[in-house]
Amino acid sequence: MMDTQSFWNERFGQSEYIYGKEPNAFLKASAFYFPPGGKVLCLAEGEGRNGLFLAQEGHQVSAVDLSTEGKRKAEQLAAENNVTIDYTISDLNDFDYGVECWDAIVSIYAHIDSASRRILYPRLVEALKPGGIFLLEAYHPRQLEYGTGGPKDADMLVTLESLRPCFQGMQIPHQAELERNVTEGTFHTGNAFVTQFVASKPAR
């Protein structure tokens, strides 16, 4: 069976940007939540479309992903647009997020299993600065009925009910489970059922 890194290297290894070059629509519409010029970390950043958008908005962007092919294409995309993304190759579970390091952490279709989420998400809360923002869009288990993208394993899909316990004590300015049209390259195209979640760490 192909390991996860090899899977994504194969998928990202083609010349086409398979999820497109435009940012995720929910991220673009929600960027007003982020402190201006902040340090932003993009999880499972892939080919760099979301990091590019945030860098163009004036943020200091870091990214983490398993795929060396994703990094290559993200850095190429950033260079073409005269911005910089600090991109680290790492499993999300192994990355050093630090403590109170980030003004925002972005999780756009960064699907991991439920056991890993219960460990990882509290670490992300610790890694946010006071006033920092966590923003997520992920496929909901109902996405299995749609077949327009995302993992085929329900344990990799996300509900609000599963998220809330990981972000206790944070303010939640936006949370939704909804159907929307997701048109992002070859692999995310058509009506989909997604979970959206924005959490704000209380300022001191």
Side-chain angles (χ1 to χ4, degrees):
M1 186 174 176
M2 185 182 293
D3 66 64
T4 305
Q5 185 178 48
S6 297
F7 172 86
W8 287 108
N9 278 338
E10 182 175 298
R11 181 165 283 195
F12 292 144
Q14 53 195 287
S15 58
E16 173 196 1
Y17 279 72
I18 62 169
Y19 296 109
K21 296 183 180 181
E22 296 300 314
N24 169 265
F26 174 61
L27 171 63
K28 187 174 182 179
S30 304
F32 67 89
Y33 287 114
F34 296 175
K39 282 186 64 181
V40 181
L41 177 65
C42 296
L43 307 179
E45 173 57 12
E47 299 167 305
R49 64 196 175 97
N50 296 311
L52 169 65
F53 164 72
L54 291 164
Q56 289 175 323
E57 291 288 295
H59 297 291
Q60 305 167 57
V61 179
S62 296
V64 56
D65 197 290
L66 269 179
S67 173
T68 53
E69 286 296 310
K71 178 180 181 179
R72 177 183 64 80
K73 290 170 79 175
E75 290 178 340
Q76 177 180 313
L77 189 63
E80 289 171 357
N81 289 275
N82 299 309
V83 297
T84 301
I85 298 173
D86 180 20
Y87 200 120
T88 299
I89 299 295
S90 175
D91 186 292
L92 296 182
N93 294 310
D94 299 331
F95 185 73
D96 181 6
Y97 296 94
V99 176
E100 297 189 358
C101 288
W102 306 99
D103 294 293
I105 297 175
V106 173
S107 177
I108 301 296
Y109 303 122
H111 293 103
I112 57 176
D113 63 88
S114 60
S116 296
R117 292 197 299 270
R118 287 191 292 270
I119 297 169
L120 175 62
Y121 288 169
R123 291 175 61 203
L124 300 183
V125 174
E126 186 179 55
L128 286 170
K129 296 177 183 178
I133 295 293
F134 174 75
L135 180 144
L136 172 144
E137 184 169 73
Y139 285 121
H140 184 276
R142 283 185 59 185
Q143 173 64 8
L144 294 173
E145 304 165 21
Y146 288 72
T148 53
K152 302 299 185 274
D153 178 358
D155 189 58
M156 305 280 281
L157 306 176
V158 180
T159 64
L160 290 175
E161 184 180 11
S162 70
L163 283 172
R164 292 186 190 111
C166 301
F167 295 90
Q168 291 182 11
M170 294 182 74
Q171 298 161 340
I172 313 296
H174 177 83
Q175 54 183 326
E177 296 173 335
L178 73 158
E179 181 182 275
R180 79 171 185 88
N181 186 273
V182 179
T183 303
E184 301 176 345
T186 303
F187 285 86
H188 289 175
T189 300
N191 282 341
F193 207 91
V194 302
T195 296
Q196 298 175 343
F197 186 76
V198 179
S200 174
K201 189 171 183 176
R204 286 203 182 93

